Amino acid sequence: MTITRDSIKDIWGERTLHNEGTWPERVDERTLDAPDDWVQSTCLLCSNGCALDIGVKDGKIVGVRGRKEDVVNKGRLGPKGLHGWEANNSADRLTHPLIRQDGELKPATWDEAMELIVNRTRELRDRYTASSIGFYTSGQLYLEEYYTLGVIGKAGLGTPHMDGNTRLCTATSAAALKETFGSDGQPGSYFDIDVADTILHVGHNISNTDTVLWMRILDRRAAPNPPKLVVIDPRETATAKEADIHLAPKVGTNVVLLNGLLYLLIKNGQIDREFIAEHTIGFEDLEHTVAAYPPSAWPR
């Protein structure tokens, strides 16, 4: 058994200070038995993208360790990454299909289960069209699995009803990013944390939601020349407690606050008008909108 830390009590682990913009390696590992093989993979539990190796013995997962070569986590793993794999070996996991008969779930073979799915799907499509069939998918799948679902749902069955929590949980941010930057991917990079002078979190409790990324910030904060940390959040989270400035607006006033901050940046000349003119559109409309949000108009 190898456990580099108790990630339940010590969520973020010891500090490893940045050195000249470089985030040092720290390999987190948790194994319950000595693996026969290590298989390269990725932790998919919080979408941070941390690389890990999966320890395998007798066809079962017996542990994980972070990959120190990976630029995202440099060997670190959060509590989910270190513990989530144990569910794979849980005694109450299903090992065969179940089919409901007379109100009870009863064991069935894979052929019986697939035949039922195929027959029922054909019956629905023939009777009500493909629009009677819908898919709701997880956000924790890999690209190949999403592609396969698309082939089955769109090309095979022809249903227009395919949805997933990736749309529900990121739809607003994706739409805003597309409108603002022309792409639904963030324009920033994890590497920016290594050199930033100031880090601003707006409603993002990163200490809970992205524990490894928070480690990166804590390591930078503990190193020489640390960045200032500003947190805008009504909650007094661990992220907020670490901040140099914690703004706790009243619930529902976040747009007012952000417009007010834009007002102050413009009024105090803390913008690059030449850059804005060359690379953006609609700035005049923005300037007009935020003109209605001087500090005197902010909710008290």
Side-chain angles (χ1 to χ4, degrees):
M1 177 183 291
T2 302
I3 301 176
T4 54
R5 80 172 192 280
D6 184 341
S7 63
I8 305 302
K9 294 181 180 179
D10 185 12
I11 299 174
W12 307 295
E14 64 181 10
R15 301 280 57 79
T16 49
L17 309 186
H18 283 251
N19 180 22
E20 297 181 352
T22 300
W23 195 31
E25 300 168 352
R26 186 192 86 197
V27 177
D28 293 341
E29 180 176 336
R30 185 172 184 274
T31 57
L32 301 183
D33 201 350
D36 294 330
D37 296 294
W38 289 97
V39 180
Q40 183 174 344
S41 187
T42 305
C43 179
L44 46 66
L45 293 174
C46 83
S47 300
N48 194 61
C50 298
L52 55 75
D53 292 326
I54 298 175
V56 180
K57 183 175 184 177
D58 298 328
K60 292 186 177 181
I61 299 175
V62 295
V64 293
R65 68 185 180 191
R67 290 185 60 80
K68 64 181 181 180
E69 301 87 357
D70 189 71
V71 296
V72 171
N73 59 323
K74 297 289 186 74
R76 295 160 182 79
L77 293 174
K80 290 182 179 180
L82 286 169
H83 290 270
W85 59 270
E86 289 194 58
N88 288 60
N89 298 332
S90 177
D92 61 356
R93 284 182 67 92
L94 289 176
T95 57
H96 49 71
L98 298 177
I99 293 177
R100 192 177 302 279
Q101 297 177 354
D102 301 323
E104 295 185 11
L105 290 172
K106 298 182 179 181
T109 66
W110 283 104
D111 287 341
E112 290 172 337
M114 289 304 299
E115 185 178 1
L116 176 62
I117 292 172
V118 171
N119 291 338
R120 182 62 174 149
T121 302
R122 284 175 173 169
E123 177 186 334
L124 290 171
R125 187 183 61 181
D126 294 344
R127 185 174 182 180
Y128 300 108
T129 77
S131 292
S132 64
I133 302 168
F135 286 78
Y136 188 85
T137 64
S138 166
Q140 314 306 123
L141 304 181
Y142 289 114
L143 180 61
E144 294 83 356
E145 293 165 321
Y146 287 119
Y147 173 79
T148 303
L149 280 170
V151 170
I152 294 173
K154 297 291 187 181
L157 297 173
T159 178
H161 305 306
M162 300 192 69
D163 204 352
N165 78 319
T166 45
R167 180 187 68 81
L168 296 175
C169 74
T170 60
T172 52
S173 60
L177 286 167
K178 286 181 180 179
E179 184 174 350
T180 306
F181 299 106
S183 170
D184 59 358
Q186 291 84 346
S189 163
Y190 289 165
F191 298 109
D192 293 344
I193 294 172
D194 304 341
V195 296
D197 295 323
T198 302
I199 299 173
L200 170 65
H201 289 297
V202 182
H204 183 193
N205 185 16
I206 188 174
S207 61
N208 283 24
T209 59
D210 298 88
T211 49
V212 172
L213 195 57
W214 181 240
M215 295 174 197
R216 194 169 191 145
I217 293 175
L218 289 177
D219 287 351
R220 177 77 204 286
R221 293 268 295 169
N225 192 29
K228 296 294 183 182
L229 180 62
V230 181
V231 172
I232 301 175
D233 197 320
R235 305 162 295 178
E236 190 177 2
T237 63
T239 311
K241 291 178 180 177
E242 170 70 18
D244 298 293
I245 298 176
H246 174 208
L247 299 178
K250 294 180 180 179
V251 175
T253 63
N254 53 313
V255 173
V256 175
L257 173 59
L258 294 172
N259 282 345
L261 293 176
L262 287 171
Y263 169 89
L264 291 175
L265 288 173
I266 295 172
K267 179 178 176 57
N268 295 328
Q270 296 171 313
I271 59 173
D272 186 338
R273 288 191 175 271
E274 182 177 345
F275 179 89
I276 291 171
E278 291 180 358
H279 299 282
T280 71
I281 59 174
F283 180 75
E284 294 78 10
D285 294 334
L286 172 68
E287 192 169 14
H288 176 75
T289 297
V290 302
Y293 295 90
S296 59
W298 296 2
R300 293 296 190 269

